[in-house]
């Protein structure tokens, strides 16, 4: 019996409105992204005047050329890759074993641990005491200030724990224990290989967090050579350090040169946005099905 | 004994335990400097007590009410606009069968969640630029006179909230879609047989199904009412929009780390956390009395 019930007129109107709404949402989100891509390869004059509003006009790659010539962007990129790799590895090394331990019902005191960890979701020491601690630990101007203070999140631990509890059959663990496998062996050879989806999700969450973070670098780093990409971006995009500064009176030719410089600066901004976001955008579609799955598992109360 | 038999599990949890102890609980111990005059050479414990001096100074400062008002109004504005959008979006997604259209819209609307806050601020600044910004041009095309979004204090909050909705609405649907996927298809079948329209089914089956999730998220949001996400505000702040953009968290950063008033800034931060924690407890209590859903 596969007879579909006929949609009534009211239902068709409802569905039509629904599709219209979703299409609108799609356009609102997609437009700025398409615009930035187009702006990054368009003649900055057309961008600045508003003549380029959707597809590229007067194609030029000067913006990208300037971005790639900028040594600060390269060093920022290298630093960010290092911080992201080290930070994600540390976060996973803390999160996965802890989540596994907390998933085991035979862990004596697990409610105590959970309680202690959960408190941090709602209350913390705040900015200054944390800063002073990092300073006292001698981590200022080191990679550790960026990767350790935010190494684990209780939310991620809970999501991972829920995964271990719901996706790994208990019998499997018992069988392995019968065969004399130690907990460490069980975790490394049986649990982890079965948990690739949640490992991917956690790597993505922690990785993107590290890739995108700027605030710890802003407060803990003062050596320019160690700046991550986001701090360099902040200088270019927000503090406008690459744009022209007009001051006082200027003659016509200087004014046009400055104007031109300002347009190029805007072009560089669009290019740098694309270049810095590209890695995340490239990785994202491959991991999408995992993270939706991961969030779904995590949101089911464990 | 289970403790002895499971010694390895304690080794597993040890890194996380140490992490929370050092990086979360030790700073909480450091809060005491809010009641002291912190002197770096004497440390957290050794500095002299001054009682509530820093709090009184903050309460009596001329910017106190401005800070409270900005923080609260941005949070409530964000809640009023940002909270319903993912719900409506999720309900709409739920009406579309899995297929290319649904997948494409979802993939695209989730994506801005992964854009960094610095890039987001950069986008806002370039799009709204009074001379070259595309939004400025668009408003001119339709014959409107674009305001100075970035320097006019009246526009700061709207700009902040709408950009946040743009970035977060798609991602916010995931949790509601999870709740909707748990709806028993039998309910819908029965309703169809009874002649319920799609709209009626959404109204009487789907919306009640996500109310528990909404409640939990609402409680969590109330708990961070004064903790308005300051990374973006800090980036968009300038002397001209300060009147509307100065919030408690950016003030804590400014007074604490930029001006090095450690004790005073900690007191302001503590005031903020205490109100947040109180709000969380109170709202949770109210919700627990009136419905079956609560955080604890």
């Amino acid at each position: 019996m596969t007879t579909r019930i006929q949609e009534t007129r009211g239902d068709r109107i409802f569905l039509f409105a629904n599709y219209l709404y979703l299409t609108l949402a799609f356009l609102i989100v997609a437009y700025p992204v398409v615009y930035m891509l187009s702006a990054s390869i368009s003649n900055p004059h057309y961008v600045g005047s508003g003549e380029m509003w959707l597809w590229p006009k007067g194609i030029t790659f000067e913006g990208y050329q300037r971005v790639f010539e900028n040594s600060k962007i390269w060093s920022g990129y290298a630093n960010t890759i290092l911080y992201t790799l080290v930070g994600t590895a540390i976060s996973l090394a803390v999160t996965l074993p802890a989540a596994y331990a907390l998933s085991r019902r035979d862990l004596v005191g697990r409610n105590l641990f959970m309680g202690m960890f959960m408190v941090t979701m709602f209350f913390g020491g705040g900015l200054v005491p944390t800063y002073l601690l990092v300073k006292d630990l001698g981590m200022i101007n080191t990679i550790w200030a960026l990767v350790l203070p935010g190494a684990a999140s209780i939310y991620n631990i809970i999501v991972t724990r829920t995964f271990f509890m719901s996706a790994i059959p208990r019998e499997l663990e018992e069988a392995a224990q019968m065969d004399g496998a130690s907990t460490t062996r069980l975790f490394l050879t049986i649990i982890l290989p079965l948990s690739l989806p949640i490992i991917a999700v956690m790597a993505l969450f922690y990785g993107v967090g590290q890739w995108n973070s700027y605030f710890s670098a802003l407060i803990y780093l003062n050596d320019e050579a160690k700046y991550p990409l986001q701090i360099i971006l902040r200088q270019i995009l927000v503090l406008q350090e690459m744009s022209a500064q007009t001051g006082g009176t200027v003659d016509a030719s200087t004014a046009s040169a400055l104007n031109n410089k300002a347009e190029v600066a805007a072009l560089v901004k669009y290019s740098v946005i694309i270049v810095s976001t590209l890695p995340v955008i490239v990785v994202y579609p491959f991991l999408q099905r995992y993270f939706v799955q991961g969030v779904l598992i995590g949101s089911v109360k464990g | 004994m289970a403790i002895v038999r499971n010694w390895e599990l304690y080794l597993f949890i040890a890194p996380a335990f140490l992490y929370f102890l050092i990086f979360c609980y030790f700073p909480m111990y450091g809060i005491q400097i809010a009641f002291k005059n912190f002197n770096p050479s004497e440390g957290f414990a050794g500095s002299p007590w001054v009682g509530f001096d820093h709090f009184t100074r903050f309460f009596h400062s001329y910017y106190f009410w401005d800070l409270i008002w900005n923080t609260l109004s941005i949070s409530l504005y964000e809640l009023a606009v940002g909270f319903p959008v993912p719900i409506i979006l999720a309900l709409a997604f739920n009406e579309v069968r899995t297929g290319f259209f649904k997948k494409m819209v979802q993939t695209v609307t989730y994506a801005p969640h992964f854009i960094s806050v610095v890039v987001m601020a950069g986008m806002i600044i370039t799009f709204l630029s009074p001379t070259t910004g595309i939004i400025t041009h668009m408003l001119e095309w339709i014959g409107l006179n674009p305001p100075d979004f970035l320097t006019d204090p009246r526009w700061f909050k709207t700009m902040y909230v709408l950009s946040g909705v743009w970035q977060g609405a798609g991602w916010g649907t995931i949790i509601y879609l999870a709740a909707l996927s748990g709806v028993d298809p039998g309910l819908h079948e029965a309703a169809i047989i009874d002649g319920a329209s799609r709209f009626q089914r959404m109204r009487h089956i789907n919306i009640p199904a996500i109310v528990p999730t909404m409640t939990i998220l609402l409680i969590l949001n109330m708990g961070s009412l004064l903790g308005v996400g300051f990374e973006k505000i800090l980036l968009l702040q300038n002397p001209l929009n300060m009147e509307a953009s100065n919030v408690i968290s950016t003030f804590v950063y400014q007074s604490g780390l930029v001006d090095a008033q450690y004790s005073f800034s900690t007191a302001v931060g503590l005031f903020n956390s205490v109100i947040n924690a109180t709000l969380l407890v109170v709202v949770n209590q109210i919700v627990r009395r009136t419905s079956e859903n609560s955080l604890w």
Side-chain angles (χ1 to χ4, degrees), chain A residues 11 48 108 116 149 184 230 284, chain B residues 8 10 19 25 107 137 198:
Chain A
D11 280 357
V108 176
M116 174 200 164
T184 311
Q230 299 298 333
Y284 159 76
Chain B
E8 283 164 294
Y10 293 94
Y19 165 76
Y25 281 87
T107 305
H137 287 308
R198 274 182 177 267

Side-chain angles (χ1 to χ4, degrees), chain B residues 70-147:
Chain B
N70 283 338
T71 311
L72 259 180
S73 59
I74 292 179
S75 280
L76 289 173
Y77 191 175
E78 198 177 24
L79 195 64
V81 180
F83 194 73
V85 177
I87 299 173
I88 301 167
L89 204 55
L91 288 170
F93 278 143
N94 197 52
E95 297 296 325
V96 182
R97 311 246 156 275
T98 325
F100 176 73
F101 178 78
K102 184 178 185 179
K103 237 189 136 171
M104 180 182 70
V105 181
Q106 281 187 317
T107 305
V108 168
T109 50
Y110 293 166
H113 173 77
F114 293 95
I115 292 175
S116 81
V117 60
V118 177
V119 167
M120 195 62 219
M123 283 172 62
I124 296 171
I125 293 169
T126 42
F127 283 15
L128 296 176
S129 155
T131 49
T132 57
I134 185 67
I135 294 183
T136 310
H137 287 308
M138 284 180 167
L139 290 175
E140 279 165 0
W141 290 338
I142 57 172
L144 291 174
N145 194 19

Side-chain angles (χ1 to χ4, degrees), chain A residues 246 248-261:
Chain A
T246 37
T249 48
V250 283
D251 61 79
S253 68
T254 320
S256 110
L258 280 175
N259 202 18
N260 187 34
K261 211 178 154 195

Side-chain angles (χ1 to χ4, degrees), chain A residues 21-31, chain B residues 101 104-105 108-109:
Chain A
Y21 172 71
L22 286 178
T23 308
L24 197 70
F26 171 79
L27 290 178
I28 291 174
V29 176
Y31 178 73
Chain B
F101 178 78
M104 180 182 70
V105 181
V108 168
T109 50

